[in-house]
Amino acid sequence: MARPPHESWDCMLPGPPSRNNGGSADCHPSGLLAFPSSSSVVVVDSRSMQLVSVLPMPPPTATSSNNNTSAATSSSSSLSPFVTSVRWAPFPLPHDLLATNQHLLLAAGDRQGRIALFDFRLRSVLLWFECDSVLKPGIQDLCWVQARSDWVLVSLSGPSLLSIWNASTGRCIWKYDVSPELFSCIRRDPFDYRHFCAIGLKGFLLSVMVHGDTEDDVVIKEFHIPNDSSELQKLERDASGTAASSPALAVFPLYIVRFAFSPLWEHIMFVIFPRELVVFDLQYETSLFAAALPRGCGKFLDVLPDPNSELLYCAHLDGRLSTWRRKEGEQVHMMCTMEELMPSIGTSVPSPSLLAVIICKSDSTLQCVGKLYSTGSRSSSFDMDFDNPFDFCDEPLSVYKTHLISISDDGKIWNWLLTSERTEDAQKDATNVGNGAGLGDVPVLETNTSDIDGTADLVKQPDCVTSIRNCSSYSTLNQIDLSPKIVLVGQLHLLSSTATMLAVPSPSLTATLARGGNSPAVAVPLVALGTQSGTIDIIDVSANAVAASFSVHNNTVRGLRWLGNSKLVSFSYTQANEKTGGYINRLVVTCVRSGLNRKFRVLQKPERAPIRALRTSSSGRYLLILFRDAPVEVWAMTKSPIMLRSLALPFTVLEWTLPTAPRPVQNGPSRQASSSRDRTSVASVEASSTDSKAISTDEPQDDTSESFAFALVNGALGVFEVHGRRIRDFRPKWPSSSFVSADGLITAMAYRLPHVVMGDRSGNIRWWDVTTGQSSSFNTHREGIRRIKFSPVVAGDRSRGRIAVLFYDNTFSIFDLDSQDPLANSLLQSQFPGTLVLELDWLPLRTDKNDPLVLCIAGADSSFRLVEESDKKTSYGPLPRAIKERFRPMPLCSPILLPTPHAVALRMILQLGVKPHWFNTCSTTRDKKHYLIRGTASGGGDLRSYMIDSPPVGDSVVPEMLLKVLEPYRKEGSILDDERARLYAAIVNKGSAVRFAFAAAIFGDSLEAIFWLQLRRAVNHLMNKLINKSPQKASVPASISELDDASMLSRITSKGKSIPGSRKRNTLDSGQLRLMAFEQEELWESANERIPWHEKLEGAEAIQNLVHELVSVGNLETAVSILLSTPPESPHFSTNALRAVALSSAVSRSLLELAVKVVAANMVRIDKSLSGTHLLCAVGRYQEACSQLQDAGCWTDAATLAATHLKGSDYARVLQRWADHVLHNEYNIWRALILYVAAGALPEALAALREAKLADTAAMFIVACREIHAEIIFDLVDSDDESKSQTMAKQLSLPGLDPENEDVIAVGEFYEQYQRKLVHLCMDSQPAFD
């Protein structure tokens, strides 16, 4: 099986994760799932469910020194501990082409307290963090937090230590020990990346704000969440003897406390204790809701809020998933469904355990793009796949979709699609609304007639935006009618358990002659692993994947061998009951093609001795069964296996001879062998007509004989030959010197005519030529030898070749028997890096002398690895390669994995707009014809014809050059999968902004994607303000009118107590867009909906906060009634009375204003409840009140107050100051840009982009703003009146973005330089597909 010359065989399959890995998992925004498995980190593409790579954690000795350890080094000191936490670094694909920072970095912590920062692209450790090498406190959890313009890493180590690390130097900058509390997990606030919280098992909650990278820049607050911890107290008493440095996950693995921030509501977090769900408000420092689990439900494992809806998903330890829905207008959650995440069909007993559950945020962001801008019709030719039954579902019924990944301890990763569909009644109601019936009965639609700032939308919303608001009518009105459903859409199978046996097929030339064929059996690229759980995993080494898994035994597989290349024989045994004694041996033949298991040698009673080992001949005809202290049985493996005879000799080892002659080059076998890596394992076995058929007949039918070598207890050697039913002495030529060992039994043997190699328990290795009698020996100076394996030979190889030797200390070495001194020239390995070796064998796929030797290794960390051996060294790590790494059943469509210049080129092509049929060669199913999108692909010539339009900015020749660079990926089909290509086809003509959002979402920058999605609304907001100022306002149709201040005030003050149902937010469609809310209507609605959550809270602080919220939304009557209810003995009585009088005052005189202003200023200095702002509101000084709130750090409250009472330039000033704070203090440039645009500060937005070195984004920002501006102007006037349109465009031009502006010109010129630099970098980089 020939492989390209530069391609390495090095690959690794991980074993199953376990509870020792802490249930950790993290999904990169681009869709790469990372989770720990034993001492490695596994990375999987969550969309195609394919293994991308495995990163072994280097052993501790490698972290302190780069020198190789000697063979005498204790192996236990250099074993890699369990990885317990992983977290992707939140670094986006770089915009600065000269930047040296990487974007695919992964932090991993282990049980010994070490933290490594992996560079995933290089598959190596970039940085080690300085950990405590004495106490070695295990890492409990990791989290990335923003500090100024850089990111820092936060860790929970040991039972109670919180640390913050500089991610550039690996130095610890802050520590905090909360002993005797026990930390459980840590999470970052999605609304403020500087803020994070850590929770303990007893309900202790630590809130931390990181303002910089020094110790003084960290501000903490402590809270306590009430809960029932009686079970924990009992567990603590039982675990009193555990190590003090052990984290909670190691001491109490089944007592789990987790939390998650709400992605939709600021300050709200969801906390799960083993049997309780709590909603906690950080602002009010109290619990808003608590619910105990019903009877029969397993304990909580994790809590996952849906990114785009008001649903909570809670995973349970018993493998189930509960869905909780928020009650409208309250923070009360009700369980609505309970689903199985561990299907009982086909699972073993006991059933596997659920370890981790995670939501794929990348799919949620793309769903926002699709919902906002793709058309609702499914009749387009590119949007219907007749081969896919899922494409015929009634899409309008589905309100949202969420992808959820679950990981179980049997090595399976499950991909679930969670959907919420409307019931039939809700569907009928929505249909009536869509047909115009019953509009008067829908209160939600009435709110679209006015704006909160007192001005109607003078700018007509585009169809794509109005459709959003219209479709919210059913999703917000009948949210309780939604029916959540769950469907399994994908699965990845890794190794199911720790490997106990390893077998490779090595069929001889006689393997097919029994059926009359004249071609030898092809050596298929398969490896079989027997596991502790009793399953047999078939590995396709060409694809580095588990091709099949068969549940054969109920306990450990103790022996496994191939019969030819299509069947396996295995055994296990169990002890009979104590009364009768003995052993029950179970022998099974498994067909790899059909998966059928057939038992043979079935006895009615237990036997005295258990089976010790199995040995099969290379033709698959004969089987030797070795028993412990019992005769050896010889079986003919026909269709019904027949025992030929029993050999009552004291054997210690037996080995059949391996194939000797090279396979013939003529006819078909060599071609099949060379092409076998291009098929999956099962397909290659089914399609091959030259596989082993020797076991399919009742009798051996040819004259070919096979031989096996053996050693006896007394050290005597021999060779027997099996000829049909006869067994006879081979009569070898004995060596001149005696081979009887005086110091140890022979424990291992390898036999390939004419050489026999033996190893004993003293570490001696001897080889013997059975035809000439030549012999030699040497001592390895190691412990006893457990396995000896001959390397495969081809024509031109040397006579004896290499042997791989596995010692009893689970280390191995490779010796060259053709050298004068095998010991001096050996490739000695004291240990496979980071783990012990349980089993090894050579991969018998060499067809040429120049092909590398490949060693298969089953590690003690449950992994399976291929190691390429050469004359100079043995390679253990994946090497950089410029060609396709391995065969994959479907393309790996993950653009983030492309070389950085090529990834940036693809992002630019998607931004500028490429015609959808450019993706036509992409197909995620090899067995069906390529999925075609409407359009004719041009065979060659000018590649610019693929672009939808001439680029509005930059060099027009650059797109053609970038398309040429990306052509290899397009032909391979590894750019976009069908689903995302269809989505791009649906939105490509909907404007530049949505293309920019799509490109950002594809590469995992969700905040940038949300910015582009909100940009159109922000420009609309700005244009409304410009139109209100413009004299052209009078020409706007009279049907659109401005509300006066009186109507606005009456609307606000007539509400009395807040009514949550008066205005319903579109929670199912806004979703993540709420992170960048800026419109007055949105801010007012959000604050108004929160008020009912807090009305029943007691305590002085809670009442002060509630009054503050009521004043912010303009509900003065309720605020006055609450203030007047303050009892006289309260310390807040005088302050509350003063505020009540001021708020209820109907007259505002200049003297009163002055007095109130002085009192307010004094209150701000002495009163933390910000009472002074309420007095300013009472006399109409809203601008000053907003300034005071912003000075106090209450930025959202200030924006809410401004949204309620201010408009025009006053509101814009509040937004602009908020934007300055977000940019320079919170370092969230995308949220700041939206606020700048809404405030009309476009020059400041452009300056922020240039200062952040986002040259390409600055150019795209100008393009998008101009395009949206042109659409708005076109909609405001008649398309026929060109002169009027030009006049209005001049009067309503975007401030700071005129074509003549120097900054705008500079951005365009810099973008052209950026493009040229990108082209040079792309040409210098070779394509890489993995």
Side-chain angles (χ1 to χ4, degrees):
M1 190 167 99
R3 292 170 73 91
H6 301 291
E7 188 170 357
S8 170
W9 270 104
D10 298 321
C11 63
M12 177 176 174
L13 262 180
S18 66
R19 296 215 180 273
N20 290 319
N21 295 117
S24 178
D26 190 30
C27 193
H28 192 271
S30 65
L32 294 178
L33 173 69
F35 64 91
S37 173
S38 188
S39 58
S40 303
V41 179
V42 185
V43 179
V44 173
D45 178 29
S46 63
R47 296 188 65 87
S48 63
M49 296 304 290
Q50 295 186 83
L51 178 65
V52 178
S53 186
V54 182
L55 306 175
M57 193 79 160
T61 53
T63 64
S64 58
S65 173
N66 292 328
N67 299 327
N68 295 326
T69 57
S70 64
T73 302
S74 172
S75 61
S76 61
S77 64
S78 56
L79 291 179
S80 295
F82 286 104
V83 178
T84 54
S85 184
V86 294
R87 197 69 63 190
W88 286 105
F91 303 152
L93 182 68
H95 291 261
D96 186 359
L97 297 178
L98 301 178
T100 57
N101 58 319
Q102 300 294 328
H103 59 280
L104 276 181
L105 301 182
L106 181 70
D110 65 19
R111 183 62 64 84
Q112 293 189 8
R114 301 180 306 152
I115 303 176
L117 185 62
F118 282 94
D119 186 333
F120 180 70
R121 306 188 68 87
L122 299 177
R123 311 293 202 267
S124 62
V125 175
L126 190 66
L127 176 69
W128 286 100
F129 292 83
E130 301 172 1
C131 59
D132 189 340
S133 58
V134 179
L135 295 177
K136 296 182 179 180
I139 300 299
Q140 176 99 349
D141 203 359
L142 297 172
C143 181
W144 290 92
V145 178
Q146 195 160 27
R148 292 203 173 100
S149 58
D150 297 324
W151 290 85
V152 295
L153 183 66
V154 185
S155 69
L156 294 182
S157 53
S160 56
L161 182 62
L162 177 69
S163 306
I164 300 180
W165 309 83
N166 186 308
S168 301
T169 64
R171 182 178 54 87
C172 182
I173 60 176
W174 185 80
K175 287 185 179 181
Y176 190 70
D177 196 328
V178 297
S179 181
E181 298 289 343
L182 301 174
F183 271 135
S184 177
C185 76
I186 183 170
R187 296 291 183 266
R188 183 180 67 227
D189 190 344
F191 288 88
D192 189 347
Y193 286 175
R194 303 170 301 162
H195 176 236
F196 68 91
C197 288
I199 196 168
L201 295 183
K202 302 176 184 178
F204 173 78
L205 182 67
L206 183 67
S207 174
V208 183
M209 180 70 77
V210 183
H211 295 285
D213 56 0
T214 63
E215 191 172 351
D216 297 333
D217 294 328
V218 182
V219 180
I220 64 172
K221 292 183 70 174
E222 296 183 1
F223 309 100
H224 181 75
I225 303 176
N227 68 97
D228 182 10
S229 59
S230 57
E231 180 183 355
L232 178 62
Q233 294 173 2
K234 181 181 178 181
L235 292 174
E236 284 183 315
R237 289 194 298 268
D238 297 339
S240 57
T242 57
S245 61
S246 299
L249 64 88
V251 182
F252 312 112
L254 298 181
Y255 193 93
I256 299 174
V257 177
R258 299 272 174 86
F259 78 95
F261 282 98
S262 170
L264 306 178
W265 298 103
E266 194 173 4
H267 307 304
I268 298 298
M269 55 193 301
F270 307 107
V271 186
I272 53 113
F273 296 95
R275 293 195 173 276
E276 190 175 12
L277 171 66
V278 178
V279 180
F280 190 80
D281 192 324
L282 281 171
Q283 185 180 19
Y284 277 73
E285 304 178 8
T286 187
S287 299
L288 302 181
F289 167 76
L293 270 179
R295 287 186 177 181
C297 293
K299 294 180 181 178
F300 282 120
L301 173 67
D302 207 346
V303 57
L304 306 169
D306 193 286
N308 290 324
S309 68
E310 297 278 10
L311 291 180
L312 277 182
Y313 305 112
C314 294
H316 300 256
L317 285 175
D318 59 1
R320 293 193 287 177
L321 182 78
S322 60
T323 304
W324 300 66
R325 180 188 294 116
R326 185 174 76 88
K327 188 177 179 181
E328 191 71 31
E330 302 179 53
Q331 269 298 346
V332 175
H333 290 75
M334 301 173 293
M335 185 190 297
C336 53
T337 63
M338 180 72 79
E339 301 285 352
E340 291 281 351
L341 288 182
M342 299 296 299
S344 57
I345 300 176
T347 58
S348 60
V349 178
S351 61
S353 299
L354 184 65
L355 298 179
V357 178
I358 192 167
I359 286 179
C360 293
K361 300 291 181 63
S362 60
D363 295 318
S364 301
T365 306
L366 284 172
Q367 183 184 343
C368 286
V369 176
K371 274 187 172 292
L372 288 178
Y373 288 94
S374 63
T375 58
S377 172
R378 295 181 54 85
S379 60
S380 302
S381 63
F382 57 78
D383 204 28
M384 185 63 68
D385 184 356
F386 293 94
D387 292 335
N388 186 357
F390 294 103
D391 272 4
F392 287 91
C393 63
D394 192 1
E395 186 68 21
L397 283 173
S398 179
V399 175
Y400 75 93
K401 297 179 181 179
T402 301
H403 279 273
L404 181 139
I405 304 291
S406 62
I407 302 172
S408 54
D409 64 357
D410 60 348
K412 293 180 181 177
I413 297 93
W414 313 72
N415 186 5
W416 303 92
L417 179 62
L418 303 173
T419 61
S420 185
E421 299 177 357
R422 285 172 288 155
T423 59
E424 292 184 2
D425 294 339
Q427 171 68 14
K428 292 178 182 178
D429 294 341
T431 304
N432 292 335
V433 172
N435 294 334
L439 290 177
D441 299 329
V442 185
V444 175
L445 298 180
E446 295 175 0
T447 59
N448 286 337
T449 60
S450 61
D451 258 339
I452 197 67
D453 63 351
T455 306
D457 276 339
L458 300 177
V459 176
K460 178 182 175 182
Q461 297 284 2
D463 294 338
C464 56
V465 177
T466 54
S467 63
I468 304 167
R469 296 185 174 181
N470 292 335
C471 74
S472 67
S473 59
Y474 66 81
S475 59
T476 56
L477 192 68
N478 294 317
Q479 188 181 25
I480 198 169
D481 295 329
L482 298 179
S483 173
K485 294 185 179 180
I486 183 170
V487 179
L488 180 65
V489 294
Q491 187 187 71
L492 175 63
H493 198 314
L494 302 177
L495 298 183
S496 56
S497 181
T498 301
T500 56
M501 298 302 299
L502 182 149
V504 297
S506 184
S508 67
L509 292 174
T510 62
T512 63
L513 297 183
R515 185 167 280 189
N518 58 0
S519 299
V522 61
V524 291
L526 302 179
V527 176
L529 291 180
T531 66
Q532 287 183 351
S533 62
T535 60
I536 297 177
D537 293 333
I538 308 298
I539 299 173
D540 181 357
V541 295
S542 63
N544 192 33
V546 176
S549 184
F550 306 113
S551 181
V552 181
H553 300 273
N554 295 325
N555 52 6
T556 302
V557 178
R558 301 182 182 272
L560 178 66
R561 293 282 169 157
W562 283 88
L563 296 170
N565 67 0
S566 63
K567 292 193 177 182
L568 294 161
V569 59
S570 60
F571 84 90
S572 64
Y573 64 78
T574 56
Q575 281 189 301
N577 55 55
E578 297 179 358
K579 293 182 179 180
T580 60
Y583 296 87
I584 300 174
N585 293 308
R586 176 184 169 90
L587 281 156
V588 182
V589 174
T590 302
C591 179
V592 177
R593 294 173 175 175
S594 62
L596 294 178
N597 298 317
R598 177 176 294 181
K599 293 188 288 184
F600 70 100
R601 198 185 176 278
V602 180
L603 304 180
Q604 300 299 323
K605 295 182 179 180
E607 299 180 77
R608 180 178 59 86
I611 299 176
R612 181 160 57 97
L614 299 178
R615 296 292 183 264
T616 57
S617 64
S618 56
S619 68
R621 295 164 169 232
Y622 303 109
L623 170 69
L624 298 177
I625 304 176
L626 285 72
F627 292 85
R628 189 185 303 166
D629 302 326
V632 171
E633 295 180 359
V634 184
W635 287 70
M637 298 306 291
T638 58
K639 187 173 184 181
S640 298
I642 303 170
M643 190 178 81
L644 300 180
R645 62 176 297 179
S646 177
L647 302 176
L649 292 173
F651 296 105
T652 57
V653 289
L654 287 167
E655 288 295 340
W656 290 93
T657 181
L658 294 172
T660 55
R663 298 174 180 85
V665 183
Q666 66 274 13
N667 300 331
S670 63
R671 290 195 300 270
Q672 292 187 15
S674 63
S675 64
S676 58
R677 77 177 296 269
D678 296 327
R679 304 187 298 267
T680 59
S681 60
V682 177
S684 64
V685 173
E686 292 178 351
S688 174
S689 62
T690 62
D691 59 354
S692 174
K693 311 293 183 181
I695 60 176
S696 63
T697 58
D698 292 336
E699 294 283 344
Q701 297 176 1
D702 72 286
D703 298 331
T704 305
S705 62
E706 297 182 82
S707 61
F708 62 88
F710 61 85
L712 302 180
V713 174
N714 61 3
L717 307 175
V719 179
F720 283 167
E721 187 177 57
V722 182
H723 186 87
R725 289 178 174 269
R726 293 173 296 169
I727 299 177
R728 62 192 180 190
D729 192 351
F730 184 75
R731 296 184 180 179
K733 187 170 182 180
W734 301 104
S736 56
S737 60
S738 174
F739 261 28
V740 176
S741 175
D743 53 357
L745 291 175
I746 294 177
T747 55
M749 178 181 287
Y751 178 30
R752 181 174 62 221
L753 278 174
H755 300 104
V756 177
V757 181
M758 295 148 289
D760 60 27
R761 62 185 180 187
S762 299
N764 299 307
I765 292 179
R766 305 174 176 87
W767 65 264
W768 161 41
D769 189 323
V770 298
T771 58
T772 65
Q774 292 181 351
S775 63
S776 180
S777 66
F778 61 93
N779 192 290
T780 61
H781 306 289
R782 304 289 299 282
E783 295 185 19
I785 296 171
R786 190 155 64 94
R787 295 278 188 274
I788 298 178
K789 297 293 182 179
F790 264 120
S791 63
V793 293
V794 295
D797 273 343
R798 289 165 292 185
S799 59
R800 289 179 290 273
R802 292 181 175 87
I803 57 171
V805 178
L806 178 63
F807 299 95
Y808 274 110
D809 62 355
N810 296 106
T811 61
F812 74 96
S813 298
I814 300 173
F815 299 99
D816 188 349
L817 296 182
D818 291 310
S819 64
Q820 293 294 329
D821 188 352
L823 185 62
N825 297 322
S826 67
L827 297 170
L828 186 66
Q829 298 298 326
S830 61
Q831 180 195 321
F832 194 74
T835 186
L836 299 175
V837 178
L838 298 182
E839 290 288 344
L840 56 76
D841 206 341
W842 296 96
L843 194 65
L845 297 177
R846 296 180 73 213
T847 58
D848 186 81
K849 180 182 178 180
N850 296 321
D851 288 347
L853 291 170
V854 180
L855 199 61
C856 305
I857 290 180
D861 61 350
S862 305
S863 66
F864 169 79
R865 314 183 192 211
L866 293 183
V867 181
E868 187 174 308
E869 188 269 336
S870 62
D871 291 330
K872 296 182 180 180
K873 64 177 182 178
T874 301
S875 171
Y876 292 103
L879 301 176
R881 53 184 66 86
I883 58 174
K884 185 178 178 182
E885 182 183 14
R886 65 176 69 96
F887 168 80
R888 291 190 180 274
M890 65 176 64
L892 186 61
C893 300
S894 185
I896 195 71
L897 295 177
L898 301 182
T900 302
H902 296 173
V904 176
L906 177 59
R907 180 175 62 189
M908 183 175 292
I909 289 297
L910 294 175
Q911 289 175 336
L912 297 178
V914 63
K915 293 179 181 177
H917 62 262
W918 183 63
F919 302 103
N920 276 351
T921 57
C922 174
S923 176
T924 57
T925 306
R926 292 284 177 95
D927 296 333
K928 70 175 185 178
K929 61 184 179 181
H930 291 322
Y931 189 93
L932 295 180
I933 296 176
R934 177 180 296 176
T936 303
S938 57
D942 190 358
L943 292 177
R944 283 176 293 180
S945 61
Y946 279 119
M947 306 303 293
I948 59 172
D949 290 310
S950 178
V953 65
D955 193 335
S956 60
V957 180
V958 168
E960 179 182 10
M961 304 178 73
L962 297 182
L963 287 174
K964 188 176 298 184
V965 169
L966 297 173
E967 188 66 12
Y969 304 106
R970 187 184 78 91
K971 290 180 178 179
E972 186 67 23
S974 58
I975 293 183
L976 295 181
D977 55 60
D978 290 346
E979 182 182 356
R980 290 189 287 185
R982 290 199 300 269
L983 175 59
Y984 186 77
I987 57 93
V988 66
N989 293 313
K990 299 297 178 66
S992 298
V994 66
R995 292 199 303 272
F996 303 162
F998 179 89
I1002 287 295
F1003 287 98
D1005 198 336
S1006 56
L1007 283 181
E1008 182 184 352
I1010 296 172
F1011 160 72
W1012 292 117
L1013 292 178
Q1014 287 283 69
L1015 181 60
R1016 180 182 295 274
R1017 299 176 66 188
V1019 175
N1020 284 337
H1021 181 87
L1022 171 61
M1023 293 301 294
N1024 270 318
K1025 185 180 74 171
L1026 294 177
I1027 292 173
N1028 287 332
K1029 289 182 177 181
S1030 170
Q1032 294 288 335
K1033 178 180 175 182
S1035 63
V1036 177
S1039 59
I1040 305 175
S1041 60
E1042 181 181 1
L1043 298 177
D1044 57 11
D1045 292 341
S1047 64
M1048 179 191 68
L1049 183 61
S1050 64
R1051 179 174 59 80
I1052 295 175
T1053 56
S1054 64
K1055 287 184 178 291
K1057 211 166 186 177
S1058 62
I1059 304 173
S1062 61
R1063 172 73 184 188
K1064 298 184 180 180
R1065 172 192 295 273
N1066 180 10
T1067 57
L1068 294 178
D1069 287 307
S1070 59
Q1072 300 176 64
L1073 302 181
R1074 201 177 305 185
L1075 290 171
M1076 296 187 185
F1078 64 90
E1079 288 187 330
Q1080 295 163 290
E1081 184 180 6
E1082 290 179 304
L1083 295 171
W1084 185 82
E1085 287 174 0
S1086 178
N1088 198 55
E1089 190 165 351
R1090 283 176 172 269
I1091 292 175
W1093 306 350
H1094 310 133
E1095 288 177 342
K1096 296 181 181 179
L1097 298 179
E1098 298 179 354
E1101 289 298 325
I1103 291 177
Q1104 300 302 317
N1105 289 331
L1106 180 58
V1107 170
H1108 180 62
E1109 285 185 340
L1110 291 168
V1111 173
S1112 298
V1113 299
N1115 194 343
L1116 305 182
E1117 292 182 4
T1118 306
V1120 169
S1121 64
I1122 292 177
L1123 290 172
L1124 293 178
S1125 64
T1126 307
E1129 61 273 11
S1130 170
H1132 299 280
F1133 176 76
S1134 58
T1135 304
N1136 291 351
L1138 177 59
R1139 283 189 291 166
V1141 171
L1143 290 173
S1144 60
S1145 176
V1147 180
S1148 299
R1149 297 287 185 266
S1150 58
L1151 181 62
L1152 179 60
E1153 290 183 5
L1154 179 61
V1156 167
K1157 191 172 182 180
V1158 173
V1159 174
N1162 293 330
M1163 284 186 169
V1164 168
R1165 285 197 295 269
I1166 63 173
D1167 190 0
K1168 293 183 181 179
S1169 63
L1170 298 176
S1171 303
T1173 61
H1174 306 163
L1175 300 182
L1176 291 173
C1177 293
V1179 295
R1181 297 281 183 147
Y1182 300 113
Q1183 187 77 48
E1184 296 177 22
C1186 290
S1187 298
Q1188 283 193 359
L1189 286 173
Q1190 290 180 329
D1191 292 338
C1194 303
W1195 297 93
T1196 305
D1197 294 337
T1200 303
L1201 183 65
T1204 306
H1205 299 287
L1206 301 179
K1207 59 183 179 181
S1209 58
D1210 293 336
Y1211 182 63
R1213 279 195 291 271
V1214 175
L1215 288 184
Q1216 185 167 348
R1217 191 181 179 194
W1218 189 14
D1220 293 335
H1221 167 77
V1222 170
L1223 179 63
H1224 298 110
N1225 296 94
E1226 296 184 10
Y1227 312 104
N1228 189 337
I1229 186 173
W1230 304 112
R1231 190 179 184 191
L1233 290 175
I1234 280 294
L1235 296 175
Y1236 276 134
V1237 174
L1242 297 181
E1244 286 77 3
L1246 196 60
L1249 286 170
R1250 297 182 65 185
E1251 184 178 351
K1253 297 183 179 179
L1254 302 176
D1256 57 332
T1257 308
M1260 297 300 104
F1261 173 73
I1262 295 173
V1263 169
C1265 288
R1266 287 177 177 172
E1267 183 181 281
I1268 297 171
H1269 176 263
E1271 292 176 3
I1272 293 174
I1273 297 299
F1274 180 82
D1275 290 337
L1276 282 175
V1277 298
D1278 266 341
S1279 58
D1280 297 335
D1281 195 345
E1282 201 170 312
S1283 60
K1284 188 175 181 181
S1285 176
Q1286 293 176 354
T1287 303
M1288 181 168 286
K1290 290 181 180 179
Q1291 293 179 348
L1292 301 178
S1293 61
L1294 293 175
L1297 296 187
D1298 298 328
E1300 299 81 12
N1301 188 292
E1302 293 182 359
D1303 292 335
V1304 173
I1305 296 173
V1307 167
E1309 293 175 350
F1310 194 86
Y1311 183 68
E1312 291 184 8
Q1313 298 176 12
Y1314 178 89
Q1315 286 183 312
R1316 287 191 285 270
K1317 178 64 177 177
L1318 176 60
V1319 170
H1320 287 297
L1321 291 176
C1322 288
M1323 295 300 182
D1324 293 338
S1325 300
Q1326 291 182 327
F1329 292 90
D1330 224 8

